[in-house]
Each structure stands twice: as structure tokens, then as C-alpha cells.
Amino acid sequence: MIALLFCSWSQAQEPSPETQAEKSATPQQAAWGDLGDGTFRNPILLADYNNLDVIRVGQDFYMISASHHFMGMPVLHSKDMVNWTLIARISRELKIHDRYDTPGQAYQHGTWAPAIRFHDGKFFVYVCTPQEGLLLSTATNPAGPWSPWQLVRNEKNWEDPCPLWDDVKDAGGDGPDGRQAYLIRSRLGAGPLIIHKMSWDGTTVEGEGKTVARGPVLEGPKFHKRNGEYYIFAPEGGIDKGYQVVLRSRSIWGPYEKRVTLEQGATKINGPHQGSWIDLESGESWFYHFQQHKAWGRIGHLQPAAWDENGWPRMGEDQDGNGIGEPVSHSPKPNVGRTFPFSLPQSSDEFESDSLGLQWLWNHNPDDSFWSLKERPGWLRLKAKPISSRPGIAGVRNLPIPFVDDSIHFAYNTLVQLAMGKECSATIKMDASHMSEGQRAGATLFGKNYGWIGLVKESGKLKIRANIQGKYFNGPELQGETIYLKLGIHNPSNPRFYFSADGSEFRRLGDDYSVGRDWFEGIKFGLFTYHLSQAPATGHVDFDYFRYESDGRKNK
């Protein structure tokens, strides 16, 4: 039973045993991805797998993406290029600088646009951080284990690296028969594109490199070689309104001829660029790219593609006849020779395992003494810690984040996962019986423009509260020690928060607000608990489940 004790309770009076928005979040027919009839609708992944890179190894496809200041980089697997499952995380911590130990000190830093390649029986992932430099992790099995991040080159202001192991003999390299390896990169601020010689084992990058291309916001290069010609696939023109270009040369050092290959045109897909070219054994070709899309971040699209008679790649459909492709919204699935079951990256979690699901990310290097899946089997336990009292920074210009003593931006032990689906929601059951005085705990939509709903223990009582960008919305006092929380995102970019005493009838708490684009990152669903900065580290909460729904066909 819930007692109504607060005059501001009017904020929570909207009746919603099951709101219309929640009904629309229940999966019925796919709004995106695999449609189940041999076709798919873009985006194939309506989630922030941003700056994605995809490779084919035999009959398997592997995707990675940037994770920035969240730990750590995802590895996904597919058999048909449309249905994806998380199989690994590359390192759950960044031990390259102590800024990653403290929440609020590295937002928008960390691992930026990566590249994955398979060479000589091993998977290589290269990525740059804005401040620390070029990192490398390797694995013989993409499901792991992956090696800890190795600092290959301590250089600030590098970005977007991609390797190429060339097949030319007697090129002066240290590879078999004198073969040479190379690495292409951009520079912070977007361009130019610079090529370096690299050791064959991939652990050394030489010199200052040679600039081979310039352009407006030219970045994110991906190396390819075909029929003796070198190709650089790269985005140009910026994230929101840019386009895809391809550069081609008979020599790796250039000169390169450049063409625009994919643009928004008359479509609604803004900024279609930065991705991966895939050739199939069936003779088909495909191109992955992302789109910057409101609160969801950079969502993944897949375009039909082909090589033309002159050896230039084509992408999408040239709807206006100007020689440049435009994104398609609906297409037959790639011909990979078989049909495979539907799947989406993991999202729901009953916390029945001894290890966290691969969907979960920490907002700083995790402290394993402050959480557990074993102390109460079948439940996730989060232990409260005082928030960091240091002002924060965000972005490569180190823009200040003023310290606020009740801001989740500075809270340790915040566990999040990507929002997936344009209409999406999560329902959470939380046991608050061991909360201590002053402790906060609940569920969050985490980002620059954050919101959360949960409980605060004050004067020995459990009080329901929503905190939306620092503004409080007070609900009733909780009678009992168990609360059910629901939070969701509804088009366009509108988060909403609900609570229930019985898990059946939910009531809304808080105002509408729009989250928009946040620190290069899409908004994230999460679980949290913390104390204010001067409080002791006491108390914990237990989460029984996190159940996710979206307008995709199915969620795990």
C-alpha cells in the first residue's frame, strides 16, 4: 500500500495502469530490423552502436563500436548481417589514466571510433582515445578473451585508426617476403587522413606519417584493397549532415581520386556515413553506416551496394540520377546462403547468473567490492558509495561539469545499457529493505540530460522521488520495502517515469522533457544507488529483474 503524504503528489496523479505509450512499447510487429519475411527495415539496430565497424570472417560477421567513457567496447556476432548478438566486451576497464576511475572526469573521452580486422589467425582491434593515444587489443576467438588494451603510440589528438596488411612483396616491410603493414588515421577535429608504416605484428607505428587526403570534416577512414587498388572509405561533412566518400589510388601513398558515394538526398536519413564495406561469397556487396538520431545516438543502417564497371563502389539507390546513392529504408536481406533465427542484442536480465550480462556497462572503472550477484543469488546487489565531490569535465575541450551534490553524473556504481527501439521501456523490481539514511536508489535514463526515479531514505522513511536534471518531483511515502519502477523513451525523445507498489498499477511521476544528443552518446537505461558526497558508504539495494520491451520483434 502507498500512503499519499506529499502536496506535490499531483505530479503523479496521471492514471496509468497501462498507458497508451506503454502499450505501444509492447513488441507486436517489427518497426525496424528483421521483418521475418526475408526483408529488413532500416535501421537494422535502433541503438547506439556508434562508429560501428563490421568484418566478415568466413560465414560469420563481427561488429564493434565506440564505447567512449563506458566500460567496455562491445563485440557482436551475426550470421546474416541483420540479426546481432553480443558475444564479448573488450576490457571492462581503462587503466591508461586515473581519470577513468572517477565518474564525471572522462565523459566523452575514452575509446572513440574503432576498427576490427582479422589477420593471420588473429582479430585486431585498434582505437584511439583523445588524450592517451593509439590502443590495441587482440584475440584468437572474438568471444574472448581479449588482451588488455596495449598503448601502441602515446600521442594526443589522434583518432579513427584502421590497419592494412598489404600483399605486395619486397615492399621493405618486416612481413613475409618483405611485405609492409600500414595504419591510416585522422586527427582530432576531423582530418586530414594520414598513413603510417606499421610493423607486421601491429604493435609499432612509425613516424609522423604522410597526409594523403583533406576535406571538410574528413575522418573515420577504413582501408580496403581490391584488384591491386587501394580504397579509403571515409565520412565527410560532419555527423548530422555529412555523406560518404571513397578515395582510390594505384599507390597506397596516393594521389587519391575522391568520389561521393552516399548522401541523404530526399530521404529522412541524415548524415549517412562512416561504416564498413562487406563483399559476400554470393557476389553481393553491402555497406554499413550510422545515422545520428536524437536520443538514441548513432543507429546502424545497412545498404545494398555493388562495384560498378569502373571499379567504384555504389551504395543505396540513386533515386535522383545524380550518380550518388541515397539510403534505402527497406530491402531484401543479404544472400548468405541460409536463413537464420531472429535475434537482438541482449537487454532483459533476471540476474540469475554469477556474471553480469554483456549488455551492461559501468560509467567508470568498476569497483567490484560495491556490487554482487552472489551475496543474494538471483538478485543484483548495488552498494551505496558517496558521489565524487570533484567538478567534472566533458568533451575533448574539457568543458566543465559543475559539481552538484545530488547529480547522478558524479555517482559511482551506475550500471547502464543502451536504449534500443524508438518505443522502449524497462520494468524493474527493487528491494529497499537495507537502504541507509540519505541513500538514493532506483532506475535512470542516463546521459547529459538525465532523469531517474526511485527511493530516498529520509528521517527513516522511504520516499518516492524523481530527479529530472536536478529538479525534484516528490511522490508518496512507500509503505513496505519493495517498489516496482518503469521508465521508457517515447518518440520523439521523451523519457517518462512510473512507479508501483504491486507491479501491476503504475503511476507517472515527473514532467516531460527531451534528452537530445548527449556527449556523443545515446541515452541509456540504468540502475544506481549513491549517497551525497559527505555521507558514509553504507546501505545497499537488491534488484530482482530488469525486463525490457521495445518495438523490435523480440528482446532477450
Side-chain angles (χ1 to χ4, degrees), residues 122 164 224 247 272 294 363 434 441 461 484 507 512 515:
K122 185 184 293 187
L164 175 72
H224 290 271
L247 302 96
K294 300 178 183 177
N363 68 328
H434 290 88
K461 300 180 184 300
Y484 298 81
R507 293 185 178 276
D512 279 336
V515 292

Side-chain angles (χ1 to χ4, degrees), residues 243-496:
Y243 44 89
Q244 179 71 24
V245 302
V246 175
L247 302 96
R248 184 176 73 171
S249 174
R250 295 293 300 180
S251 166
I252 196 163
W253 301 112
Y256 282 87
E257 181 182 357
K258 182 169 68 175
R259 292 189 179 182
V260 178
T261 54
L262 188 68
E263 64 180 1
Q264 177 175 353
T267 74
K268 296 181 180 179
I269 309 304
N270 58 292
H273 64 223
Q274 187 160 328
S276 307
W277 182 275
I278 303 291
D279 292 315
L280 299 181
E281 292 178 353
S282 63
E284 293 181 355
S285 297
W286 294 84
F287 182 70
Y288 287 95
H289 68 91
F290 72 73
Q291 172 199 10
Q292 174 65 44
H293 185 66
K294 300 178 183 177
W296 295 269
R298 300 175 183 180
I299 59 179
H301 291 245
L302 180 61
Q303 299 300 327
W307 296 98
D308 72 14
E309 63 277 9
N310 297 313
W312 284 97
R314 301 195 308 264
M315 305 169 184
E317 294 182 358
D318 181 10
Q319 300 179 23
D320 56 10
N322 69 348
I324 302 171
E326 297 174 6
V328 303
S329 60
H330 182 251
S331 171
K333 292 172 63 177
N335 178 12
V336 296
R338 288 179 54 193
T339 299
F340 291 92
F342 176 85
S343 66
L344 287 176
Q346 300 89 313
S347 52
S348 294
D349 202 333
E350 298 293 319
F351 303 119
E352 294 175 344
S353 172
D354 288 344
S355 57
L356 280 170
L358 291 171
Q359 65 268 37
W360 293 110
L361 297 154
W362 299 100
N363 68 328
H364 61 90
N365 287 330
D367 183 343
D368 291 338
S369 65
F370 276 84
W371 69 277
S372 176
L373 285 162
K374 298 179 180 180
E375 293 180 13
R376 185 181 179 183
W379 297 69
L380 168 67
R381 176 162 293 175
L382 294 183
K383 303 176 184 180
K385 188 175 183 179
I387 66 174
S388 166
S389 59
R390 296 165 55 188
I393 57 172
V396 295
R397 298 178 183 86
N398 292 334
L399 299 175
I401 306 174
F403 174 71
V404 176
D405 203 17
D406 197 10
S407 170
I408 199 171
H409 288 158
F410 300 95
Y412 291 91
N413 226 27
T414 302
L415 191 61
V416 300
Q417 63 171 274
L418 306 185
M420 182 165 54
K422 185 166 287 189
E423 297 282 342
C424 52
S425 65
T427 305
I428 299 101
K429 179 182 178 182
M430 185 177 77
D431 179 352
S433 58
H434 290 88
M435 285 183 69
S436 61
E437 187 69 18
Q439 185 179 349
R440 284 98 163 103
T444 180
L445 286 169
F446 184 85
K448 181 180 179 182
N449 298 314
Y450 67 85
W452 61 254
I453 187 168
L455 296 173
V456 178
K457 191 163 188 178
E458 292 178 341
S459 303
K461 300 180 184 300
L462 293 173
K463 301 176 181 179
I464 299 170
R465 179 177 293 171
N467 181 337
I468 298 177
Q469 303 177 83
K471 181 181 179 182
Y472 294 159
F473 297 86
N474 292 315
E477 181 182 316
L478 179 68
Q479 303 299 311
E481 297 171 329
T482 299
I483 190 169
Y484 298 81
L485 304 170
K486 181 173 286 189
L487 58 167
I489 304 176
H490 312 288
N491 192 35
S493 297
N494 290 328
R496 291 180 182 174

Side-chain angles (χ1 to χ4, degrees), residues 52-56 61-63 84 116-117 276 278 288:
L52 56 82
D53 192 28
V54 180
I55 58 169
R56 179 177 72 88
F61 304 88
Y62 301 99
M63 177 191 295
W84 291 90
I116 183 171
R117 292 294 182 266
S276 307
I278 303 291
Y288 287 95

Side-chain angles (χ1 to χ4, degrees), residues 85-163:
T85 302
L86 281 160
I87 60 170
R89 291 277 175 185
I90 301 176
S91 185
R92 60 195 295 271
E93 57 187 6
L94 282 172
K95 288 298 187 182
I96 53 178
H97 196 281
D98 62 9
R99 65 168 57 93
Y100 299 106
D101 295 333
T102 307
Q105 301 306 309
Y107 291 138
Q108 210 172 337
H109 285 260
T111 51
W112 284 29
I116 183 171
R117 292 294 182 266
F118 183 70
H119 165 69
D120 196 22
K122 185 184 293 187
F123 292 86
F124 291 74
V125 169
Y126 287 89
V127 71
C128 289
T129 70
Q131 296 296 315
E132 292 84 20
L134 175 66
L135 305 179
L136 167 65
S137 180
T138 63
T140 55
N141 183 342
W146 286 82
S147 65
W149 288 116
Q150 173 184 351
L151 186 61
V152 174
R153 184 78 176 258
N154 185 6
E155 293 276 358
K156 292 184 178 182
N157 301 326
W158 282 23
E159 65 178 17
D160 306 346
C162 184

